[in-house]
Amino acid sequence: VSTPLRKSAPRKRRARGSISADEILQGAYDLASEESLDALSMPRLAQRLDVGVTSIYWYFRSKEELLDTMTERAMAEFDRAMEISGDLRWDDYLRTYFTEFREVFRRNGLLCDLIVMRTGNLTDEATRIAAQRIETVLGRLVAAGFSGDSAAYAYASLSVYTRGALFLERNWAASARPAVMAPGAFGDTPGLTVLTSVQERHHLSMTGEEDFRFGLENAIRGLRVLLEDDTAEPCIVAARTAAPAGLVGP
Amino acid sequence: VSTPLRKSAPRKRRARGSISADEILQGAYDLASEESLDALSMPRLAQRLDVGVTSIYWYFRSKEELLDTMTERAMAEFDRAMEISGDLRWDDYLRTYFTEFREVFRRNGLLCDLIVMRTGNLTDEATRIAAQRIETVLGRLVAAGFSGDSAAYAYASLSVYTRGALFLERNWAASARPAVMAPGAFGDTPGLTVLTSVQERHHLSMTGEEDFRFGLENAIRGLRVLLEDDTAEPCIVAARTAAPAGLVGP
DNA sequence: ACCTGAACACCGTTCAAGT
DNA sequence: ACCTGAACACCGTTCAAGT
């Protein structure tokens, strides 16, 4: 934004009922969608709506309140995008659910900025929508044999993991740094044996497709053991959970 | 900050060699440490150092560059705080490592803001320090029998999970919202059977002590299976990895 | 009841000097 | 070579009006 914000002649005064909260919300959503959430400022929004800046404050007490309302809409949109098939076993369901979870937010940066990057700022309505969706997942896990608590923990850990991956990827993309240490960067540093040997296939951002898949699969593997432990024969359980002695490092 | 920033008489001009990059860095670090990273602004920093605002720009091209340098220092501090005992089996080591990882950042908000919340903005030097630390962990995993790739994936997933938990917790704390839906909030909403039944023990922030522990333990459980699969008898492996046929969705 | 511009207290950064 | 204030283009928000 290099040119001054306002150069044209002053606007005509608008009629009394010519603005609405919905119109402002839509304008804000469109502006953020077309450019970015960072680009959304009260003056820019007012300009786009051809409205005095201060008029917005009659409908939204603060920018924060506007963002919260935008998040509500975003949550509804996210919810609509998250229709997962019901014909899946619990592990396939979880894999599909969180893969889609990640993909939806990766495809729609605004949803990611509003919901993932601003967690904790959910309105009651947004929370209600999210809770409804989470309940569906928990229900499936319980149906598969998990206790309510285990299901809640399972969901929480996968949700935290997925949102963590999204957060890191988005933060990484936002920084204009040059790919952070080009391939082979550790080639000359002494002592980085393992890192050097895998640096062709692993990126330090830890945010790649393969990375995410591994963590998701690994967590599901852990859950599988957790679930089976309640029903499997003693010998297998013992073999599965007993950790080999020794093998301790320096 | 309700009182105007400057009200006292103008400063005397400072001598030629009276400022240094180190002094500015230290001042910035102290200011952010005492208040918060959000409270660190160029004018506030200049005021604290009793220096003209623009003087800072002779030593740091931008605020971003200053933050990057602060992050370098923070990374060194974090590294010092992360001395994990070597007398641990790989799974105990991972548990201790990432528990400590989380605790250090939870105890020191500035470290968290600089390193976790601004990932992707690491300088080469900060990256070097981090790589060194990661290499140590990978080395232990490899010594325990993991392949280099598996070790890298394992580290990445646990790191993403832990940083995700830190990010969410910090974001949650930053929002001034009232605990987000008090306990019993779902009591009247129809259809939230599971959520209602566990809401005494589970918080929607998914960021509690128990939540983190479960995810960490579950991931380690997954890794244990992964590691054992390479060495265990065929029958157990089959029972462990074979997925029941059918039941696959679209 | 709704819409408004001017004004306030901030930002980060640049410029054209000063010494 | 270093330090500087004034100025610029922004913010979000408040106030005292206007209609």
Side-chain angles (χ1 to χ4, degrees), chain A residues 175-250:
Chain A
S175 88
R177 222 161 269 290
V180 174
M181 287 223 167
F186 302 134
D188 51 349
T189 317
L192 296 184
T193 327
V194 186
L195 262 182
T196 307
S197 74
V198 303
Q199 67 182 340
E200 309 283 313
R201 290 173 301 285
H202 297 269
H203 196 265
L204 268 187
S205 71
M206 303 180 182
T207 213
E209 207 67 31
E210 303 281 326
D211 283 306
F212 178 73
R213 220 147 40 189
F214 177 91
L216 179 56
E217 217 51 62
N218 188 56
I220 291 176
R221 200 156 44 222
L223 292 176
R224 213 173 275 139
V225 176
L226 185 72
L227 179 62
E228 288 175 11
D229 272 3
D230 294 343
T231 54
E233 308 88 297
C235 75
I236 295 182
V237 173
R240 211 166 261 151
T241 55
L247 283 175
V248 188

XYZ file of all heavy atoms in Angstrom, chain A residues 175-250:
555
model
N 6.724 -16.039 6.616
C 8.078 -15.499 6.685
C 8.701 -15.567 5.304
O 8.630 -16.583 4.629
C 8.904 -16.289 7.682
O 9.507 -17.392 7.069
N 9.307 -14.482 4.906
C 9.844 -14.386 3.550
C 11.245 -14.981 3.430
O 11.955 -14.716 2.490
C 9.852 -12.926 3.107
N 11.636 -15.763 4.414
C 12.987 -16.283 4.424
C 13.227 -17.330 3.323
O 12.307 -18.026 2.922
C 13.276 -16.907 5.801
C 14.633 -16.584 6.326
C 14.699 -16.797 7.822
N 14.369 -15.589 8.557
C 15.158 -14.524 8.594
N 16.290 -14.498 7.930
N 14.822 -13.478 9.295
N 14.436 -17.427 2.837
C 14.760 -18.309 1.710
C 14.800 -19.774 2.105
O 15.870 -20.318 2.352
C 16.151 -17.827 1.290
C 16.755 -17.275 2.545
C 15.606 -16.721 3.333
N 13.643 -20.408 2.163
C 13.543 -21.865 2.337
C 14.291 -22.391 3.568
O 14.355 -23.586 3.790
C 14.044 -22.602 1.117
N 14.833 -21.500 4.374
C 15.546 -21.866 5.597
C 16.563 -22.992 5.418
O 16.237 -24.176 5.499
C 14.558 -22.225 6.721
C 15.276 -22.750 7.942
C 13.752 -20.996 7.088
N 17.774 -22.614 5.214
C 18.867 -23.574 5.047
C 18.628 -24.508 3.865
O 17.923 -25.514 3.976
C 19.079 -24.389 6.326
C 19.735 -23.586 7.427
S 21.006 -24.538 8.261
C 21.835 -23.246 9.193
N 19.182 -24.145 2.783
C 19.032 -24.941 1.560
C 19.479 -26.380 1.800
O 20.239 -26.656 2.724
C 19.868 -24.314 0.449
N 18.990 -27.303 0.982
C 19.438 -28.703 1.048
C 20.954 -28.782 1.059
O 21.616 -28.100 0.293
C 18.871 -29.302 -0.245
C 17.707 -28.458 -0.593
C 17.936 -27.116 -0.003
N 21.478 -29.590 1.917
C 22.923 -29.718 2.000
C 23.548 -28.721 2.957
O 24.753 -28.636 3.080
N 22.705 -27.982 3.654
C 23.220 -26.936 4.532
C 24.033 -27.506 5.685
O 24.895 -26.850 6.235
C 22.067 -26.105 5.077
N 23.729 -28.745 6.059
C 24.446 -29.348 7.173
C 25.668 -30.119 6.716
O 26.383 -30.691 7.523
C 23.522 -30.293 7.947
C 22.302 -29.596 8.470
C 21.054 -30.159 8.319
C 22.415 -28.363 9.086
C 19.926 -29.500 8.789
C 21.296 -27.708 9.557
C 20.052 -28.277 9.406
N 25.876 -30.145 5.420
C 26.971 -30.938 4.874
C 28.314 -30.617 5.496
O 29.139 -31.509 5.697
N 28.494 -29.350 5.845
C 29.812 -28.963 6.347
C 29.869 -28.880 7.870
O 30.923 -28.786 8.451
C 30.222 -27.614 5.743
C 29.111 -26.597 5.930
O 27.998 -26.995 6.327
O 29.344 -25.410 5.675
N 28.697 -28.910 8.500
C 28.688 -28.841 9.957
C 29.062 -30.203 10.541
O 28.418 -31.198 10.223
C 27.293 -28.447 10.476
O 26.766 -27.402 9.669
C 27.359 -28.009 11.925
N 30.072 -30.249 11.391
C 30.496 -31.530 11.944
C 29.515 -32.024 13.004
O 28.896 -31.225 13.696
C 31.851 -31.184 12.585
C 31.745 -29.745 12.936
C 30.850 -29.129 11.908
N 29.330 -33.319 13.056
C 28.537 -33.892 14.140
C 27.071 -34.052 13.853
O 26.339 -34.581 14.678
N 26.618 -33.594 12.692
C 25.196 -33.732 12.397
C 24.964 -34.944 11.489
O 24.371 -34.842 10.405
C 24.653 -32.471 11.744
C 24.701 -31.212 12.611
C 24.044 -30.035 11.915
C 24.012 -31.469 13.942
N 25.421 -36.093 11.953
C 25.413 -37.291 11.113
C 24.019 -37.645 10.612
O 23.791 -37.785 9.411
C 25.965 -38.497 11.909
O 26.966 -38.025 12.811
C 26.542 -39.524 10.957
N 23.095 -37.797 11.560
C 21.766 -38.255 11.174
C 21.045 -37.201 10.339
O 20.498 -37.478 9.272
C 20.919 -38.606 12.414
C 19.595 -39.208 11.984
C 21.662 -39.558 13.326
N 21.065 -35.972 10.811
C 20.395 -34.901 10.079
C 20.904 -34.796 8.647
O 20.135 -34.625 7.701
C 20.604 -33.562 10.795
C 19.481 -33.081 11.701
C 19.814 -31.730 12.294
C 18.168 -32.991 10.927
N 22.214 -34.900 8.493
C 22.789 -34.816 7.154
C 22.309 -35.963 6.274
O 21.994 -35.780 5.099
C 24.329 -34.849 7.230
O 24.765 -33.838 8.139
C 24.937 -34.612 5.865
N 22.194 -37.133 6.880
C 21.833 -38.312 6.086
C 20.376 -38.291 5.629
O 20.020 -38.949 4.661
C 22.104 -39.591 6.893
O 21.121 -39.749 7.905
N 19.545 -37.549 6.317
C 18.119 -37.555 5.944
C 17.667 -36.233 5.339
O 16.494 -36.062 5.017
C 17.209 -37.874 7.155
C 17.592 -39.204 7.773
C 17.259 -36.768 8.201
N 18.571 -35.295 5.184
C 18.126 -33.950 4.814
C 17.579 -33.853 3.380
O 16.947 -32.860 3.033
C 19.248 -32.946 5.029
C 20.441 -33.101 4.117
C 21.513 -32.076 4.460
O 21.242 -31.070 5.093
N 22.729 -32.344 4.026
N 17.797 -34.882 2.602
C 17.212 -34.874 1.255
C 15.696 -35.042 1.343
O 14.943 -34.482 0.567
C 17.797 -36.017 0.407
C 19.315 -36.092 0.392
C 19.900 -35.023 -0.521
O 19.404 -34.883 -1.641
O 20.841 -34.324 -0.079
N 15.272 -35.865 2.287
C 13.855 -36.223 2.367
C 13.101 -35.464 3.442
O 11.884 -35.507 3.498
C 13.713 -37.735 2.625
C 14.108 -38.613 1.443
C 14.104 -40.071 1.799
N 15.007 -40.397 2.893
C 16.336 -40.476 2.786
N 16.906 -40.257 1.622
N 17.087 -40.760 3.819
N 13.819 -34.747 4.329
C 13.135 -34.074 5.431
C 13.430 -32.589 5.431
O 14.572 -32.174 5.301
C 13.566 -34.687 6.770
C 13.180 -36.127 6.905
N 11.994 -36.513 7.459
C 13.808 -37.263 6.527
C 11.912 -37.832 7.438
N 13.004 -38.317 6.870
N 12.398 -31.828 5.588
C 12.568 -30.385 5.643
C 12.461 -29.920 7.090
O 11.672 -30.454 7.854
C 11.507 -29.688 4.796
C 11.822 -28.262 4.498
N 11.339 -27.231 5.252
C 12.596 -27.706 3.557
C 11.793 -26.093 4.763
N 12.554 -26.349 3.731
N 13.254 -28.934 7.426
C 13.273 -28.461 8.810
C 11.951 -27.851 9.246
O 11.679 -27.730 10.435
C 14.396 -27.438 9.000
C 15.729 -28.007 9.474
C 16.697 -26.877 9.777
C 15.528 -28.867 10.714
N 11.135 -27.488 8.300
C 9.848 -26.916 8.682
C 8.959 -27.977 9.326
O 8.043 -27.667 10.066
C 9.141 -26.340 7.465
O 8.681 -27.373 6.608
N 9.247 -29.242 9.046
C 8.499 -30.372 9.635
C 7.022 -30.277 9.302
O 6.166 -30.731 10.067
C 8.662 -30.397 11.161
C 10.093 -30.466 11.596
S 10.272 -30.508 13.385
C 12.068 -30.530 13.559
N 6.736 -29.682 8.168
C 5.372 -29.300 7.875
C 4.900 -29.894 6.555
O 3.843 -29.556 6.038
C 5.310 -27.751 7.874
O 4.062 -27.336 8.341
C 5.628 -27.194 6.523
N 5.707 -30.801 6.021
C 5.391 -31.381 4.714
C 4.290 -32.421 4.794
O 3.823 -32.797 5.867
N 3.879 -32.858 3.618
C 2.827 -33.857 3.471
C 3.192 -35.144 4.215
O 2.405 -35.671 4.996
C 2.685 -34.154 1.975
C 1.339 -34.620 1.545
C 0.291 -33.531 1.682
O 0.661 -32.351 1.529
O -0.862 -33.877 1.966
N 4.387 -35.634 3.957
C 4.852 -36.894 4.542
C 4.923 -36.782 6.059
O 4.561 -37.699 6.790
C 6.251 -37.236 4.012
C 6.343 -37.336 2.507
C 5.817 -38.664 2.007
O 5.993 -39.671 2.736
O 5.219 -38.695 0.916
N 5.424 -35.649 6.520
C 5.546 -35.438 7.960
C 4.187 -35.551 8.628
O 4.025 -36.253 9.624
C 6.147 -34.050 8.239
C 7.645 -34.023 8.009
O 8.344 -34.861 8.596
O 8.102 -33.175 7.234
N 3.223 -34.845 8.050
C 1.893 -34.872 8.658
C 1.327 -36.279 8.671
O 0.799 -36.750 9.683
C 0.938 -33.937 7.913
C -0.455 -33.963 8.469
C -0.732 -33.369 9.684
C -1.479 -34.607 7.792
C -2.007 -33.402 10.218
C -2.758 -34.650 8.318
C -3.022 -34.046 9.527
N 1.473 -36.965 7.532
C 0.929 -38.312 7.412
C 1.532 -39.240 8.460
O 0.826 -40.046 9.063
C 1.190 -38.846 6.008
C 0.046 -39.615 5.470
C -0.120 -39.472 3.980
N 1.157 -39.485 3.271
C 1.251 -39.196 1.977
N 0.173 -38.898 1.296
N 2.418 -39.195 1.386
N 2.839 -39.128 8.647
C 3.494 -40.007 9.622
C 2.909 -39.804 11.020
O 2.563 -40.770 11.703
C 5.000 -39.738 9.670
C 5.705 -40.558 10.712
C 6.240 -41.804 10.395
C 5.819 -40.105 12.027
C 6.875 -42.573 11.364
C 6.436 -40.875 12.999
C 6.971 -42.105 12.665
N 2.820 -38.553 11.435
C 2.330 -38.267 12.778
C 0.900 -38.742 12.976
O 0.553 -39.287 14.029
N 0.092 -38.530 11.955
C -1.302 -38.967 12.024
C -1.370 -40.490 12.135
O -2.056 -41.046 13.005
C -2.044 -38.476 10.775
C -3.525 -38.835 10.630
C -4.311 -38.357 11.833
C -4.099 -38.225 9.339
N -0.631 -41.162 11.265
C -0.625 -42.627 11.253
C -0.085 -43.173 12.571
O -0.606 -44.152 13.113
C 0.243 -43.111 10.090
C -0.267 -44.344 9.412
C -1.729 -44.200 9.015
O -2.064 -43.310 8.206
O -2.540 -44.981 9.546
N 0.923 -42.527 13.062
C 1.539 -42.988 14.312
C 0.574 -42.860 15.486
O 0.480 -43.754 16.330
C 2.815 -42.189 14.580
C 3.598 -42.744 15.745
O 3.956 -43.923 15.759
N 3.846 -41.894 16.740
N -0.144 -41.757 15.518
C -1.127 -41.559 16.593
C -2.235 -42.602 16.498
O -2.657 -43.166 17.513
C -1.699 -40.148 16.513
N -2.678 -42.860 15.290
C -3.726 -43.873 15.099
C -3.208 -45.243 15.542
O -3.931 -46.013 16.178
C -4.187 -43.897 13.624
C -4.946 -42.612 13.305
C -5.047 -45.126 13.338
C -5.368 -42.459 11.859
N -1.958 -45.523 15.220
C -1.326 -46.774 15.665
C -1.366 -46.868 17.183
O -1.707 -47.907 17.747
C 0.122 -46.806 15.166
C 0.748 -48.170 15.114
C 1.897 -48.207 14.102
N 2.754 -47.023 14.200
C 3.231 -46.357 13.141
N 2.934 -46.756 11.924
N 3.991 -45.305 13.302
N -1.043 -45.760 17.827
C -1.089 -45.742 19.281
C -2.493 -45.994 19.806
O -2.688 -46.745 20.774
N -3.464 -45.397 19.163
C -4.856 -45.575 19.585
C -5.305 -47.020 19.386
O -6.069 -47.563 20.187
C -5.772 -44.636 18.795
C -5.608 -43.141 19.071
C -6.496 -42.314 18.148
C -5.909 -42.828 20.533
N -4.805 -47.630 18.303
C -5.160 -49.012 18.021
C -4.716 -49.906 19.168
O -5.454 -50.776 19.637
C -4.509 -49.435 16.711
C -5.323 -50.421 15.915
C -4.683 -50.653 14.560
N -5.080 -49.659 13.571
C -4.239 -49.117 12.679
N -2.958 -49.455 12.691
N -4.680 -48.243 11.807
N -3.491 -49.684 19.614
C -2.973 -50.454 20.746
C -3.826 -50.203 21.981
O -4.218 -51.129 22.686
C -1.507 -50.073 21.041
C -1.007 -50.806 22.281
C -0.621 -50.394 19.847
N -4.125 -48.948 22.206
C -4.943 -48.578 23.362
C -6.274 -49.308 23.347
O -6.711 -49.863 24.359
C -5.192 -47.068 23.342
C -5.943 -46.480 24.537
C -5.054 -46.468 25.760
C -6.433 -45.064 24.220
N -6.891 -49.341 22.190
C -8.196 -49.993 22.056
C -8.093 -51.505 22.208
O -8.888 -52.131 22.905
C -8.808 -49.649 20.700
C -10.171 -50.280 20.369
C -11.221 -49.826 21.368
C -10.600 -49.950 18.950
N -7.079 -52.076 21.557
C -6.921 -53.531 21.582
C -6.560 -54.040 22.965
O -6.913 -55.151 23.328
C -5.855 -53.974 20.573
C -6.321 -53.842 19.125
C -5.210 -54.173 18.134
O -4.159 -54.695 18.582
O -5.398 -53.915 16.943
N -5.816 -53.231 23.705
C -5.386 -53.643 25.038
C -6.570 -54.051 25.916
O -6.434 -54.868 26.820
C -4.609 -52.510 25.724
C -3.137 -52.589 25.366
O -2.778 -53.482 24.560
O -2.366 -51.774 25.868
N -7.716 -53.481 25.635
C -8.891 -53.786 26.447
C -9.522 -55.122 26.082
O -10.270 -55.690 26.856
C -9.950 -52.689 26.271
C -9.467 -51.373 26.835
O -8.497 -51.403 27.618
O -10.040 -50.339 26.490
N -9.199 -55.635 24.878
C -9.912 -56.809 24.390
C -9.009 -57.970 23.995
O -9.461 -59.109 23.929
C -10.757 -56.436 23.153
O -9.886 -55.822 22.191
C -11.860 -55.466 23.540
N -7.717 -57.698 23.738
C -6.822 -58.738 23.214
C -6.442 -59.761 24.270
O -6.619 -59.542 25.468
C -5.567 -58.100 22.640
N -5.886 -60.895 23.800
C -5.412 -61.932 24.705
C -4.198 -61.412 25.477
O -3.400 -60.652 24.936
C -5.012 -63.191 23.927
C -6.068 -63.690 22.978
C -5.949 -63.039 21.601
O -6.116 -61.795 21.505
O -5.684 -63.764 20.654
N -4.049 -61.887 26.702
C -2.972 -61.440 27.577
C -1.577 -61.482 26.941
O -0.810 -60.554 27.094
C -3.051 -62.417 28.754
C -4.487 -62.827 28.775
C -4.956 -62.804 27.354
N -1.273 -62.607 26.229
C 0.097 -62.761 25.721
C 0.465 -61.667 24.740
O 1.553 -61.114 24.768
C 0.286 -64.146 25.073
S -0.491 -64.275 23.443
N -0.454 -61.348 23.848
C -0.178 -60.309 22.857
C -0.060 -58.952 23.532
O 0.828 -58.161 23.244
C -1.287 -60.257 21.781
C -1.274 -61.562 20.979
C -1.084 -59.063 20.865
C -2.280 -61.588 19.865
N -0.964 -58.733 24.478
C -0.917 -57.471 25.214
C 0.437 -57.299 25.884
O 1.075 -56.268 25.784
C -2.025 -57.417 26.284
C -1.837 -56.180 27.152
C -3.389 -57.404 25.607
N 0.859 -58.389 26.544
C 2.142 -58.327 27.248
C 3.264 -58.010 26.272
O 4.088 -57.127 26.503
C 2.404 -59.645 27.957
N 3.299 -58.745 25.169
C 4.356 -58.539 24.184
C 4.318 -57.121 23.630
O 5.334 -56.526 23.310
C 4.202 -59.538 23.039
N 3.133 -56.587 23.564
C 2.973 -55.292 22.925
C 3.408 -54.132 23.809
O 4.001 -53.168 23.357
C 1.490 -55.121 22.574
C 1.247 -54.290 21.352
C -0.177 -54.476 20.905
N -0.298 -55.414 19.825
C -1.384 -56.162 19.615
N -2.381 -56.109 20.457
N -1.440 -56.955 18.587
N 3.091 -54.269 25.077
C 3.369 -53.122 25.951
C 4.687 -53.226 26.695
O 5.231 -52.219 27.120
C 2.247 -52.964 26.998
O 2.124 -54.209 27.705
C 0.937 -52.613 26.327
N 5.195 -54.456 26.838
C 6.466 -54.599 27.537
C 7.581 -53.975 26.710
O 7.720 -54.252 25.534
C 6.776 -56.071 27.786
N 8.335 -53.111 27.316
C 9.431 -52.470 26.596
C 10.711 -53.272 26.790
O 10.998 -53.714 27.899
C 9.625 -51.052 27.103
N 11.460 -53.483 25.731
C 12.720 -54.221 25.827
C 13.669 -53.545 26.813
O 13.761 -52.312 26.836
C 13.287 -54.130 24.410
C 12.170 -53.666 23.541
C 11.186 -52.982 24.412
N 14.333 -54.341 27.614
C 15.286 -53.764 28.561
C 16.536 -53.290 27.826
O 16.786 -53.667 26.700
C 15.662 -54.792 29.620
N 17.295 -52.486 28.501
C 18.578 -52.053 27.946
C 18.444 -51.080 26.795
O 17.484 -50.324 26.717
N 19.391 -51.093 25.907
C 19.394 -50.233 24.724
C 19.441 -48.742 25.067
O 19.001 -47.900 24.300
C 18.157 -50.490 23.861
C 18.184 -51.751 23.003
C 16.873 -51.939 22.306
C 19.338 -51.661 22.005
N 19.956 -48.447 26.226
C 19.998 -47.058 26.657
C 21.226 -46.350 26.073
O 22.296 -46.913 25.998
C 20.036 -46.970 28.194
C 19.875 -45.523 28.620
C 18.950 -47.834 28.788
N 21.032 -45.106 25.683
C 22.121 -44.326 25.080
C 23.125 -43.874 26.128
O 23.088 -44.328 27.273
N 23.991 -42.997 25.737
C 25.064 -42.494 26.603
C 24.563 -41.887 27.902
O 23.625 -41.133 27.883
C 25.735 -41.401 25.758
C 24.819 -41.149 24.608
C 23.997 -42.384 24.430
